Amino acid sequence: SVPAGSEVSQESLLLHGPFARKPKRIRTAFSPSQLLRLERAFEKNHYVVGAERKQLASSLSLSETQVR
């Protein structure tokens, strides 16, 4: 028999078990002008990194992660 209090609920397993999902990331809703700038930057270089990404993010009022 299982001692009282040692049962793990199904919900607890889903939240903390080995297959627990990460919470969904909130998608950024880019403005049309931000999209245009991002698309132009992507056309020039598919990997915007370093100082260029930092500058682009700053000029668009976005985080570097959002520009990634």
Side-chain angles (χ1 to χ4, degrees), residues 3-41:
S6 68
E7 262 185 57
V8 178
S9 75
Q10 197 68 23
E11 184 181 5
S12 179
L13 271 176
L14 287 172
L15 293 173
H16 307 291
F19 303 108
R21 290 192 184 126
K22 285 189 214 171
K24 276 198 167 184
R25 182 177 60 81
I26 295 170
R27 290 188 64 127
T28 304
F30 298 108
S31 72
S33 62
Q34 286 174 327
L35 275 175
L36 190 62
R37 293 266 315 272
L38 289 167
E39 287 170 354
R40 284 183 180 157

